[in-house]
Amino acid sequence: MTSYLTTHNQYLNQIAYRELGTENAGLPLVMLTHLSATLDEWDPLFIDQLAAKNHLVVVDLPGVGASSGQVPLTIEAMADQAVKFIKLRGFKKINLLGLSMGGMIAQAVAEQAPQLVERLILVGTGPRGGKGIDRVSLVTFTAMLKAFFKRTDPKRYIFYPHDQRGAKEAERVLSRLRQRTPDFADQKITIASFRRQLRAIKKWGTAPADNLSRITMPTLIINGDNDTMIPTSNSYQMHELIKNSELLIFPNAGHGSIFQYAIPAAEKISSFLIMPSRAVL
């Protein structure tokens, strides 16, 4: 099986994406990533574990990484971009995973095109008007400043607990990300695109609270027990509001729980995707 570390970008109408596990049966799992991230920010161990059992499609939406175009100023417009890419790729039905900002986009996709999404996976994210989402810019810049003085990657403080154990977990994941060579690298996100993403998240966070009633497909919600970027309380709230949902909280983990627990997270996601549907209560 091809490793994610040696998977090149493909392009469809100047949209960059990577595809793995095409030999696996079942619906494709389309994956949307977090604020400021490109295709290179997915943990290769997590992706390889998922690709062993699933057909994966990870994508840079327009204006991100090597994709042309412009980042919209709303999450809903980003969702429209995602729907257009999915249809352009020729998929009639997909499973959908969104991490952090990607989870916000995934919620909007599930609302805009429910017929397109069979199963939904929301990781380290929150609903419109969710607790603390309007503070993402402040949390992000605080982490970036701390990382600058500590001479480390901001993801160390954004994604992982701030104690010594968290430092070790962060280094394990970051060392895996550093294994990708320039020959297989994506382009970095621009500062302009990053700022537009922050504005979109701010609008999502200050919008009226969403009751999530339009999300009816089977949904798996994942987070760490101490997410300081998108407070973990949002995950509990989404689980209460989405009737056909399951909640998985990893201990001693934060925003990057699926990378910190790469193997068990991938195993849980794979089992969720083949689990028989249960009726909505």
Side-chain angles (χ1 to χ4, degrees):
M1 186 184 76
T2 303
S3 169
Y4 189 61
L5 286 171
T6 53
T7 300
H8 285 290
N9 285 6
Q10 299 181 61
Y11 295 89
L12 184 60
N13 276 21
Q14 298 183 303
I15 301 301
Y17 69 102
R18 293 176 186 158
E19 197 160 356
L20 295 87
T22 54
E23 70 279 3
N24 293 309
L27 295 176
L29 176 62
V30 176
M31 302 175 66
L32 305 173
T33 192
H34 60 84
L35 168 70
S36 81
T38 69
L39 299 176
D40 291 348
E41 266 66 54
W42 288 106
D43 176 14
L45 175 60
F46 173 70
I47 294 292
D48 286 352
Q49 290 292 315
L50 266 184
K53 296 181 179 179
N54 303 279
H55 173 189
L56 307 185
V57 180
V58 294
V59 59
D60 279 338
L61 292 179
V64 176
S67 292
S68 65
Q70 188 175 55
V71 172
L73 292 176
T74 68
I75 295 296
E76 290 79 7
M78 295 178 191
D80 183 63
Q81 291 177 332
V83 169
K84 288 178 180 176
F85 168 80
I86 291 163
K87 291 181 176 179
L88 187 63
R89 180 58 186 76
F91 298 138
K92 305 294 185 183
K93 198 88 169 176
I94 62 159
N95 296 313
L96 182 62
L97 182 152
L99 168 61
S100 190
M101 183 188 74
M104 301 170 197
I105 300 169
Q107 291 173 63
V109 170
E111 294 168 350
Q112 291 178 19
Q115 74 287 350
L116 192 61
V117 182
E118 180 71 15
R119 289 175 183 258
L120 181 64
I121 303 164
L122 303 175
V123 184
T125 193
R128 287 184 193 85
K131 179 181 178 181
I133 296 175
D134 60 339
R135 299 181 69 254
V136 162
S137 293
L138 175 61
V139 176
T140 299
F141 287 123
T142 299
M144 291 173 66
L145 184 62
K146 186 173 183 178
F148 173 78
F149 286 111
K150 296 287 187 178
R151 298 183 181 179
T152 188
D153 191 311
K155 288 190 284 292
R156 163 36 201 125
Y157 298 108
I158 292 173
F159 280 84
Y160 305 98
H162 292 194
D163 56 15
Q164 289 187 343
R165 178 174 177 176
K168 291 179 181 178
E169 297 290 352
E171 181 52 33
R172 273 195 277 269
V173 179
L174 294 173
S175 66
R176 297 197 292 262
L177 295 179
R178 290 194 291 266
Q179 292 174 27
R180 182 175 290 276
T181 63
D183 289 345
F184 298 95
D186 198 8
Q187 294 182 28
K188 299 294 184 182
I189 193 168
T190 65
I191 293 175
S193 291
F194 172 55
R195 292 178 64 184
R196 292 177 71 87
Q197 288 180 340
L198 285 172
R199 290 174 65 184
I201 293 172
K202 180 77 171 182
K203 289 181 181 179
W204 181 268
T206 55
D210 189 350
N211 65 13
L212 301 178
S213 60
R214 290 186 291 172
I215 297 179
T216 59
M217 66 284 296
T219 301
L220 175 61
I221 300 162
I222 304 176
N223 209 340
D225 61 355
N226 186 26
D227 188 341
T228 57
M229 174 61 71
I230 307 290
T232 304
S233 58
N234 287 288
S235 295
Y236 287 100
Q237 180 187 14
M238 290 191 298
H239 178 46
E240 290 180 3
L241 293 173
I242 301 173
K243 301 302 181 184
N244 202 1
S245 67
E246 181 178 351
L247 178 65
L248 173 61
I249 301 293
F250 284 109
N252 304 307
H255 202 51
S257 63
I258 58 169
F259 303 153
Q260 186 175 332
Y261 288 88
I263 294 175
E267 289 175 349
K268 176 60 182 178
I269 291 168
S270 294
S271 64
F272 169 74
L273 293 177
I274 61 172
M275 189 183 305
S277 297
R278 56 185 176 86
V280 177
L281 300 177

